Amino acid sequence: MALGRRRLLIGFAGAGGLALTGCGWVRDSAPPSTSATIGFDPPPGTHDVQARSHATITVTDGTLRSVDWTDETGRSLPGASSPDHRSWTSAEPLGYGHTYTAKAVANGETGDVTATTTCTTVRPRQLVDVSLRSANLVELAENDTYGIGFVLVAHFDEPVDRAAVEPHLEVTTDPPVTGAWYWLDDQNAHWRPEHYHAPGTRITIAAELFGLALGEGRYGLRDQRVSVIIGPAHVAIADDDTKQIEVFDNGNLVRTMPTSMGRGGTAVIGGRAMSFWTRPGIYTVLDQKDPVIMDSASYGLPTNSGLGYRTSINHAVRISHDGIYVHELAATMWAQGNTNVSHGCLNISPNDAAWFYDFVIPGDVVEVRNTGGDPLDIWQNGDWGIPWSDWLHGGAHT
């Protein structure tokens, strides 16, 4: 009786680690040991890896003990392991034109395992930068303030693939407004919404071009991000029917200024046809100078010709790239409000010019109505004169 009970207890105790067979008691076989496996991304031997890529190392069935990822100069690529030490990621992108060698050591059930890799990154034929500007061609600075006619300009220092670039020129507004890019050529793109910006709007442009293929072996030099703010709604309307400039501040008429605009007509000087109209259209303020040297030779009219000039002008507000200003000219006050006598600029009195000079900021709207001549062209600063449906057809994908 006692013996039988003893045998029963032994058999029960063995159920945890022993098995009963026809030949007696035997121990279960242990599971096989596994080795750690190391994986690299980019994979070993990869060429022309994109510069924006990050390096990663992953471990299966083990944990990382060390990582050494260096470029051709011996510089180590900074990075960090995950909390569980099963992966490592570089803290910066791989960059252009590098040859990398990496060594990783991982520990698994069978001990340490070592793996190595090499890869090369793309080597551009040329790096291309973009200048983010307003219509006055001055680079944007963080928190600059512009008028409601602000137009964003992206100028590339070399031709680019428009379709490749445009998705990486991201414009956001607060409050949200729909806008679109309009390409003048392969180096210049302009962005605006359908209507003038609302005062207080913040506009942010993120140009994420580093590592981006721009066509013909060219790649983006860097990423950029900048935001600007829209100021009060300043709109000046110059009407040739009345020869007055009405100035509005947030919809309220604050000043009326008599003016004398372009005398009209054309003349052939030095074999070149010159127009003396103030072209109709929607201009914006580009910049201000006090004084400015105005030289007719700057737009092809020789200074020594009968209609040429070179003179210093006070309180000059430039509104076109080909030299149209709203400016002081006491000598034409007799004509201001009744007769057009200028070469194309808008002449106003010294008092009005000083006030207007202090009132406006870049991006403020100056609309010229009912004059002769061809409508203002976009290259002259006529972005807002292009109908919205036509503007939408100027994108890279249309």
Side-chain angles (χ1 to χ4, degrees):
M1 185 70 174
L3 180 60
R5 183 178 180 186
R6 184 181 177 194
R7 286 177 177 170
L8 178 62
L9 290 173
I10 292 173
F12 182 79
L18 300 175
L20 183 63
T21 71
C23 299
W25 299 99
V26 297
R27 186 175 301 277
D28 285 340
S29 60
S33 298
T34 55
S35 300
T37 303
I38 300 172
F40 296 99
D41 189 16
T46 306
H47 298 286
D48 293 332
V49 177
Q50 294 305 307
R52 203 177 187 92
S53 302
H54 285 254
T56 61
I57 300 174
T58 56
V59 177
T60 304
D61 298 325
T63 56
L64 276 170
R65 295 191 62 181
S66 65
V67 172
D68 184 24
W69 195 301
T70 57
D71 66 15
E72 68 284 353
T73 69
R75 175 183 177 268
S76 294
L77 191 67
S81 297
S82 61
D84 62 4
H85 295 283
R86 293 183 180 272
S87 65
W88 177 92
T89 304
S90 65
E92 62 186 44
L94 294 175
Y96 291 118
H98 289 301
T99 298
Y100 287 104
T101 301
K103 176 182 177 181
V105 179
N107 181 262
E109 290 183 0
T110 61
D112 288 349
V113 173
T114 301
T116 60
T117 186
T118 60
C119 68
T120 62
T121 58
V122 67
R123 187 178 299 275
R125 179 178 69 83
Q126 189 175 29
L127 291 176
V128 177
D129 200 10
V130 62
S131 173
L132 303 177
R133 308 169 171 178
S134 70
N136 64 7
L137 307 185
V138 175
E139 293 214 13
L140 305 180
E142 189 69 15
N143 293 326
D144 274 351
T145 300
Y146 289 91
I148 61 172
F150 169 76
V151 173
L152 173 63
V153 174
H155 171 71
F156 295 87
D157 52 20
E158 294 290 339
V160 297
D161 181 337
R162 304 180 192 186
V165 169
E166 189 172 298
H168 298 270
L169 298 175
E170 183 180 359
V171 183
T172 56
T173 64
D174 183 17
V177 174
T178 298
W181 288 100
Y182 185 96
W183 289 81
L184 281 67
D185 52 41
D186 288 344
Q187 289 183 249
N188 297 281
H190 292 192
W191 184 95
R192 70 166 176 87
E194 181 176 4
H195 305 291
Y196 299 144
H197 304 281
T201 299
R202 178 174 286 275
I203 302 170
T204 302
I205 167 70
E208 297 187 347
L209 303 183
F210 176 75
L212 182 66
L214 304 180
E216 299 183 359
R218 299 184 176 102
Y219 284 80
L221 173 66
R222 57 175 174 153
D223 293 342
Q224 295 183 67
R225 183 182 181 89
V226 65
S227 64
V228 298
I229 301 169
I230 301 301
H234 292 169
V235 177
I237 299 176
D239 192 336
D240 197 28
D241 286 348
T242 63
K243 294 180 175 53
Q244 305 287 325
I245 302 175
E246 294 185 326
V247 184
F248 296 85
D249 183 3
N250 291 320
N252 300 310
L253 179 64
V254 293
R255 198 173 185 96
T256 300
M257 307 183 299
T259 188
S260 177
M261 292 187 268
R263 69 185 67 181
T266 60
V268 177
I269 301 174
R272 179 176 178 180
M274 308 293 299
S275 172
F276 299 105
W277 293 102
T278 303
R279 288 193 177 196
I282 300 172
Y283 300 71
T284 59
V285 171
L286 297 177
D287 55 41
Q288 302 137 275
K289 287 188 178 180
D290 181 31
V292 64
I293 301 298
M294 292 193 177
D295 188 343
S296 62
S298 65
Y299 60 90
L301 179 59
T303 303
N304 59 2
S305 66
L307 294 172
Y309 57 86
R310 178 179 171 83
T311 185
S312 177
I313 298 293
N314 295 327
H315 297 117
V317 175
R318 186 166 65 102
I319 61 173
S320 84
H321 293 297
D322 58 341
I324 301 300
Y325 287 80
V326 180
H327 67 79
E328 166 187 326
L329 196 59
T332 65
M333 285 182 65
W334 64 270
Q336 293 167 19
N338 60 80
T339 307
N340 289 330
V341 298
S342 85
H343 287 68
C345 291
L346 293 84
N347 298 171
I348 54 179
S349 72
N351 286 341
D352 285 338
W355 178 87
F356 191 67
Y357 185 93
D358 291 337
F359 177 76
V360 297
I361 61 173
D364 283 350
V365 174
V366 179
E367 184 176 346
V368 175
R369 298 177 178 176
N370 300 316
T371 59
D374 295 330
L376 186 68
D377 204 338
I378 188 171
W379 67 267
Q380 296 169 302
N381 189 28
D383 296 82
W384 290 99
I386 297 178
W388 184 241
S389 58
D390 293 342
W391 187 272
L392 293 176
H393 283 97
H397 298 279
T398 56

